Amino acid sequence: MPAAFAPSLPLHVAPPPASQLWRRGRKTTSVSWGRMAAVPVDMAAVASSSTLSKLAPLEAILFDIDGTLCDSDPIHFCAFRELLQQVGFNNGVPITEEFYSANISGGHNDDLARALFPDMDHDKAMKFMDDKEALFRKLAPEQLNAVDGLHELCRWIEHHKLKRAAVTNAPRPNAELMLSLLGLTDFFPVLIIGSECDRAKPFPDPYLKALELIDASPDHTFIFEDSASGIRAGVAANVPVVGLTTRNPDKVLKDAGASLLIEDFQDPKLLSMLAELEPTVAVEQV
């Protein structure tokens, strides 16, 4: 491989065995959507401020895709780890989960290409990113899983006729594949791709565009996100963000500005929040 493909970064921690990769597994919860009304509502306990409680009546919910609708980060990590090692990144030392979370997760491909390969021709660096996305799409059909409680939440949203959009930094082929595998292609009337906006996340442009297209007010909308980059984008758009701790550390998400952290879509804190915000009058979907 050309020397341009072998930058050396200060990654001196040996990678964990494959059996220990992504060891932070999700916990399940016994609280069900059918019992939402019975979940105690304590907004002081579920939010660090009154931001979320002021959203009532709830009008819309915006969703990131990777790591939010589905637990896709392990697939991305394996694809990056394999291809970076093949091209001699960090002198052939495999990247660790910690490096992936801190430097890659939630990033836009154009930014990642520049960060991972600062001395490489940008077109060549983007070819690497394209190859990585192709490997992801090859692996996803056998490995992609919905985050627990997702489909129950979607039914709740449809029942209340809430507006919604999917907003992602993923390339359009990836985003459309994931929505198809999850059975949610028709659920989202709007799909916003970061690279198709003037600026991708962590800038607010993708979320601002989503609000415009579904005609929703940021004062009655919140966002589901799992990465610091995405949370910063939502906060910059003046929309409260609920962070999913599917893979990234709680502190990272809190420091980025998340108003509430949940483990998955069955988390009692989420059910309490939605019970508090539940619309009394359905809003028509555009």
Side-chain angles (χ1 to χ4, degrees):
M1 285 292 174
F5 271 102
S8 180
L9 297 181
L11 305 178
H12 303 304
V13 179
S19 61
Q20 296 180 16
L21 295 177
W22 298 104
R23 56 190 176 275
R24 294 191 295 271
R26 299 191 306 277
K27 299 177 182 177
T28 57
T29 169
S30 60
V31 177
S32 70
W33 279 85
R35 296 175 55 206
M36 181 190 291
V39 177
V41 177
D42 182 0
M43 292 305 291
V46 302
S48 59
S49 70
S50 60
T51 304
L52 290 166
S53 62
K54 291 179 179 179
L55 295 176
L58 186 62
E59 179 184 5
I61 303 178
L62 307 180
F63 290 81
D64 174 48
I65 298 180
D66 273 306
T68 299
L69 296 178
C70 50
D71 192 13
S72 55
D73 259 5
I75 310 174
H76 285 293
F77 171 70
C78 289
F80 268 111
R81 185 169 183 257
E82 177 179 332
L83 294 185
L84 286 172
Q85 188 174 14
Q86 285 181 14
V87 301
F89 183 86
N90 194 44
N91 296 319
V93 177
I95 64 168
T96 64
E97 175 187 341
E98 289 76 17
F99 176 83
Y100 175 84
S101 292
N103 298 281
I104 296 177
S105 179
H108 181 253
N109 277 355
D110 190 70
D111 298 329
L112 291 175
R114 298 181 192 280
L116 293 172
F117 305 109
D119 301 322
M120 185 188 298
D121 175 78
H122 190 61
D123 289 341
K124 185 180 291 187
M126 288 304 297
K127 174 62 167 60
F128 172 90
M129 299 304 300
D130 290 343
D131 291 344
K132 176 263 157 186
E133 300 301 354
L135 180 56
F136 171 84
R137 291 191 293 272
K138 178 180 178 181
L139 298 173
E142 298 298 324
Q143 301 183 33
L144 194 74
N145 295 308
V147 170
D148 290 341
L150 171 64
H151 293 292
E152 291 87 346
L153 172 61
C154 291
R155 286 192 289 271
W156 185 88
I157 290 171
E158 286 183 318
H159 175 73
H160 291 89
K161 294 183 168 51
L162 294 178
K163 300 175 182 179
R164 60 264 190 186
V167 183
T168 180
N169 268 355
R172 181 168 288 278
N174 287 29
E176 292 177 346
L177 174 64
M178 287 185 282
L179 292 180
S180 176
L181 293 172
L182 295 168
L184 296 179
T185 299
D186 295 332
F187 176 76
F188 289 107
V190 169
L191 169 61
I192 303 296
I193 305 297
S195 62
E196 298 173 6
C197 301
D198 290 339
R199 300 175 299 178
K201 305 176 193 177
F203 293 99
D205 304 40
Y207 280 118
L208 293 175
K209 184 175 182 180
L211 289 171
E212 178 183 0
L213 290 180
I214 66 174
D215 190 26
S217 166
D219 296 330
H220 299 286
T221 300
F222 73 87
I223 294 167
F224 283 116
E225 268 284 358
D226 76 303
S227 71
S229 172
I231 291 171
R232 287 194 293 269
V235 171
N238 294 315
V239 180
V241 182
V242 174
L244 278 94
T245 59
T246 41
R247 298 296 174 185
N248 291 308
D250 294 16
K251 185 178 186 303
V252 170
L253 304 184
K254 268 295 186 185
D255 289 348
S259 298
L260 172 68
L261 298 183
I262 60 174
E263 291 181 356
D264 55 34
F265 296 118
Q266 295 178 335
D267 193 307
K269 296 190 296 295
L270 173 63
L271 303 188
S272 292
M273 185 190 81
L274 293 179
E276 178 81 0
L277 298 177
E278 187 165 359
T280 54
V281 178
V283 179
E284 289 299 323
Q285 175 73 45
V286 296

